[in-house]
Amino acid sequence: MQVFLQTVIGGVSLGAVYALVALGFSLVYRTMGLVNFAHGNVVTVGAYLASTFYLSTKLPFALAMVVAIGLTAAIGLVIERVLRPLENRDFDLMLIGTIGFGIVLDALIIMVWGATGRAVPSPVPSAPIELFGLRIRTYDLVVLAIAAAATVLLVLFLSRTKRGAAMQAVAMDHEAATAVGIHVGRSNAIAFMIGAGLAALAGGLVGPLLYVSPALGGALGIKGFAAAILGGFGSIPGAIVGGLAIGILDSFTAGHFQGYSELVTFLVFTVIIMVRPTGVFGERTVNRA
Amino acid sequence: MVRLRAAAAISTVAVLATVLATGCSAPGSDEEESGSDSGPIKIAVVDAQSGQLSSLGAWELKGARLAVDEWNAQGGVNGRQIQLDVFDDQGDPTIGTNLARKIDSEGYLAMIGTAESAVTIAMAPLLKQAQIPNITSGQSPGLVGAGSEFLFLNGPTSTTYDETLAKHILDGEGVKSIAMITNNGGYGKGEHDAFLKALKSRSVTPVVDQVVTTEQKDFSAVLTSIRQKNPKVIFLGAEEVESGLIVKQARDLGITATFAGAAPQGTPVFVDTAGAKNAEGTIVSSPYLSNEINEASKKFAAAYKAKFNEEAELHGAKAYDGTQILLTALKTSNVATGKDLAEAIRGTKYQGLLGNFAYDQTGVGIFETSIGIIRDGKLVAAGS
């Protein structure tokens, strides 16, 4: 039982990070019908920016995160602006465009920060909490709390603000939204901006858990993408459920299948997707794509 | 529509992947053959310059660069300058084999690298066919198994590392309760087999023998089952970053056992990732414990620091030794190529940073390591 619960705890904190990555994928997808293949690299950029402000500029961790999120969101805007002319021509070109951006970001990261990477010390240095023989890292709780808060804010933005409602409208029917005077380009830009901001949040949070290197986003990007598909691509609650599910699944397969854990994780993923191709929360709003 | 787009996306990615993979191999190049008697002597460094293993590649390149620059400053070999070119294998055997063809077609005399045994093993048959001598930083016993007379190691194999380690822990400290965590990559597999063999020869069975993947980030399940067995020592057979993450998470789970390992566990990257406090007391088997061991290592470390503005460490030292051996062999053989150069390397007796090199038929030149302990974030000789 102890192993079981400790395994769940281990999976949940990385799962929360996967969920944040999945949210970014889903938000752009539901608004534009586009899979942003550069998303994983944007996570890496966010992680490097956050760790740079935290370690080199000596800003407090929270402030470093805010600055990193702001800068990374601006990068999201740039990506959208460059790709915008392609949107009404050929959609596949836009997909290739995001792959291209991913490669460019990867090269830029190595040019700016080098290839070796860096370790980020935990901003919450206190000892793990001991509970019924289980040990919970305090930083894991911080990660969970911030991820939960970010999700609530995003949902509130989408459902309660005019701009958010406009984005929902574009997601549901692109042409009808244009007809009633919603600026689709602006809506897309905001989706990209928030998506990149979420990526920076995920990258910044995961820094102290893992090791910040140019390869960081690749691994997180694939798991986050799988999480988004598992939850139902484009669905906000789906991204959360999918992220946590992938995190916990990963943690269990690691315990039982050892060297073959990655294989088993993705086999289970494939079976679920075959049984339920729209994912757990398959939404109607993604039909636009 | 959704389906169509998805299919298009997948095929796009597949096409792109193919293009990227094949695009690396250059078509027949008509650059001059450097086997000729004039112009610079071309040596290739093949190592991961990007991806998870890029720190190894970066250190190795620095070590090789330092050695070459020292020779070039003194007039090169037989009056010819040495040209060192870098190729990025991304730690990927497929890219490695493409690069083997590339350095053959572009007329490189010899190759330094790679730092990843799996890549080197994949490249070995092609380099053997092309008769290009290769001095690798890999340490997997599989390198010896590749059976190429053109392949040389710039350090001991895992067998030597782990035998020394087992001798220290079991025979020296008398510890019998040992757990193992190794990864399923080329390096981890080699460490797993070599350390298990060393334990078996002392009739000891590990209390837990866990295998993780090279990409794994969360080790809760593995570590919790290890915690229940309460071993005295945990052997790590994984690269720097992964080992560091394992140690960090183990300490968070309340595991107080001592960690032990070979070369990666003595590096600053391992200590930084784990956190100096968590890594305290880690037992390391390494042929190059610190920059302070003797006059040669002090001189090397000072030159390294002056050139790259960072502290020298094992991998840089290994690549420096390997490159020195290659350049010495080039000099003594009057810039021979192919089989003659390989024989010249085999015949080179070299007093290096790691010890005295004398190559045998299997391409291994050095057969001992020392035991070090991590104290206050630095690797120091055991007993000091």
Side-chain angles (χ1 to χ4, degrees):
Chain A
M1 194 59 190
Q2 204 188 24
V3 178
F4 177 84
L5 289 175
Q6 193 72 61
T7 309
V8 172
I9 293 168
V12 164
S13 70
L14 272 183
V17 173
Y18 295 149
L20 287 175
V21 178
L23 275 179
F25 270 117
S26 273
L27 192 66
V28 170
Y29 183 75
R30 60 187 266 132
T31 316
M32 302 175 71
L34 176 74
V35 180
N36 178 12
F37 282 104
H39 196 58
N41 304 91
V42 178
V43 173
T44 317
V45 172
Y48 265 109
L49 285 173
S51 66
T52 303
F53 288 118
Y54 177 49
L55 294 176
S56 310
T57 324
K58 306 274 183 226
L59 290 181
F61 189 70
L63 193 57
M65 289 286 291
V66 171
V67 177
I69 291 170
L71 284 175
T72 315
I75 294 173
L77 281 179
V78 171
I79 298 178
E80 194 277 334
R81 194 65 198 84
V82 174
L83 294 180
R84 194 183 290 180
L86 296 173
E87 205 202 352
N88 295 324
R89 291 206 193 141
D90 190 339
F91 209 76
D92 294 338
L93 285 178
M94 257 184 125
L95 271 182
I96 300 275
T98 66
I99 296 175
F101 255 106
I103 295 170
V104 170
L105 286 178
D106 202 30
L108 280 176
I109 289 164
I110 293 177
M111 277 162 69
V112 175
W113 286 289
T116 37
R118 55 174 70 162
V120 183
S122 171
V124 193
S126 57
I129 300 165
E130 187 132 23
L131 204 72
F132 307 118
L134 297 173
R135 294 179 69 107
I136 304 165
R137 275 175 292 196
T138 33
Y139 184 70
D140 282 3
L141 297 175
V142 173
V143 171
L144 280 175
I146 293 177
T151 313
V152 170
L153 283 178
L154 179 65
V155 171
L156 285 179
F157 168 75
L158 288 175
S159 58
R160 296 288 168 84
T161 64
K162 205 173 167 192
R163 173 70 55 208
M167 282 176 69
Q168 298 269 42
V170 174
M172 283 176 192
D173 191 333
H174 167 213
E175 277 165 21
T178 318
V180 297
I182 294 172
H183 194 306
V184 175
R186 197 172 298 150
S187 173
N188 292 348
I190 292 173
F192 252 95
M193 186 183 80
I194 299 178
L198 286 169
L201 182 62
L205 283 177
V206 88
L209 284 175
L210 305 175
Y211 181 82
V212 178
S213 74
L216 175 75
L220 292 179
I222 288 175
K223 291 274 163 67
F225 187 54
I229 302 272
L230 188 65
F233 208 9
S235 157
I236 301 297
I240 306 295
V241 172
L244 292 175
I246 289 276
I248 294 171
L249 178 63
D250 228 13
S251 194
F252 272 102
T253 54
H256 290 284
F257 300 97
Q258 306 216 348
Y260 300 99
S261 60
E262 204 91 333
L263 173 72
V264 177
T265 301
F266 280 98
L267 274 180
V268 173
F269 168 76
T270 311
V271 170
I272 296 176
I273 288 305
M274 282 167 78
V275 174
R276 213 183 145 76
T278 52
V280 183
F281 290 85
E283 276 197 358
R284 271 163 296 155
T285 44
V286 299
N287 279 353
R288 185 207 142 196
Chain B
M1 223 19 213
V2 175
R3 225 169 241 203
L4 254 178
R5 288 245 160 87
I10 290 164
S11 53
T12 314
V13 173
V15 167
L16 205 82
T18 326
V19 169
L20 280 178
T22 47
C24 296
S25 60
S29 141
D30 23 72
E31 278 180 50
E32 57 173 314
E33 284 281 314
S34 74
S36 61
D37 294 337
S38 60
I41 299 168
K42 287 167 74 179
I43 296 175
V45 172
V46 180
D47 255 314
Q49 301 298 318
S50 60
Q52 190 113 33
L53 298 167
S54 53
S55 48
L56 287 179
W59 287 325
E60 179 147 327
L61 175 59
K62 285 175 182 152
R65 175 78 67 203
L66 188 62
V68 166
D69 286 0
E70 280 176 11
W71 279 71
N72 276 343
Q74 290 170 11
V77 174
N78 285 4
R80 292 167 63 184
Q81 288 287 298
I82 302 135
Q83 179 188 333
L84 195 68
D85 293 327
V86 191
F87 300 88
D88 179 12
D89 65 33
Q90 299 171 26
D92 183 334
T94 314
I95 297 172
T97 48
N98 268 326
L99 290 177
R101 292 195 187 91
K102 190 177 166 78
I103 61 175
D104 177 26
S105 67
E106 294 186 3
Y108 285 87
L109 277 194
M111 173 186 138
I112 300 292
T114 73
E116 172 66 19
S117 300
V119 182
T120 302
I121 291 171
M123 295 173 77
L126 289 164
L127 292 173
K128 182 179 175 178
Q129 203 181 356
Q131 303 211 332
I132 298 175
N134 170 206
I135 301 189
T136 175
S137 291
Q139 60 178 66
S140 164
L143 293 166
V144 174
S148 165
E149 66 271 32
F150 292 91
L151 182 59
F152 300 89
L153 277 67
N154 63 17
T157 64
S158 287
T159 313
T160 305
Y161 280 93
D162 292 344
E163 178 56 33
T164 312
L165 194 61
K167 199 167 151 190
H168 175 79
I169 296 170
L170 283 92
D171 308 349
E173 312 253 310
V175 176
K176 303 269 186 255
S177 149
I178 295 167
M180 292 174 65
I181 307 179
T182 52
N183 73 23
N184 62 354
Y187 170 74
K189 184 86 178 59
E191 285 293 301
H192 176 267
D193 296 351
F195 192 70
L196 199 61
K197 201 172 132 207
L199 288 184
K200 284 246 166 73
S201 71
R202 292 168 173 79
S203 325
V204 170
T205 325
V207 291
V208 190
D209 179 2
Q210 295 273 6
V211 178
V212 297
T213 66
T214 49
E215 292 285 316
Q216 201 163 321
K217 309 278 183 242
D218 171 58
F219 304 93
S220 323
V222 169
L223 290 169
T224 309
S225 62
I226 285 185
R227 184 173 65 166
Q228 291 181 329
K229 295 275 167 30
N230 200 17
K232 283 260 185 319
V233 169
I234 301 173
F235 172 80
L236 293 171
E239 284 83 355
E240 290 80 3
V241 171
E242 188 168 31
S243 298
L245 288 177
I246 291 173
V247 171
K248 183 158 82 169
Q249 295 183 15
R251 295 291 185 241
D252 284 343
L253 285 172
I255 294 175
T256 52
T258 304
F259 285 92
Q265 284 71 26
T267 59
V269 170
F270 164 76
V271 176
D272 285 348
T273 313
K277 215 174 104 222
N278 296 334
E280 181 73 15
T282 301
I283 304 166
V284 179
S285 169
S286 169
Y288 185 79
L289 288 180
S290 83
N291 296 329
E292 310 294 325
I293 293 292
N294 55 35
E295 283 310 310
S297 66
K298 280 181 193 159
K299 188 168 157 256
F300 162 73
Y304 191 98
K305 175 96 181 165
K307 194 164 181 68
F308 306 113
N309 195 26
E310 62 174 65
E311 297 299 329
E313 49 64 71
L314 167 70
H315 296 90
K318 283 175 73 181
Y320 179 84
D321 269 359
T323 311
Q324 287 284 0
I325 291 168
L326 172 63
L327 297 176
T328 309
L330 278 168
K331 187 177 170 68
T332 51
S333 67
N334 259 327
V335 195
T337 59
K339 223 177 174 71
D340 294 339
L341 180 57
E343 282 316 310
I345 293 172
R346 201 180 305 285
T348 302
K349 302 277 181 281
Y350 179 74
Q351 204 176 346
L353 300 166
L354 270 69
N356 294 325
F357 283 84
Y359 282 103
D360 64 5
Q361 282 308 310
T362 63
V364 183
I366 199 155
F367 297 90
E368 54 177 346
T369 64
S370 318
I371 294 295
I373 310 276
I374 306 244
R375 296 246 179 264
D376 300 323
K378 293 251 183 280
L379 185 62
V380 297
S384 68

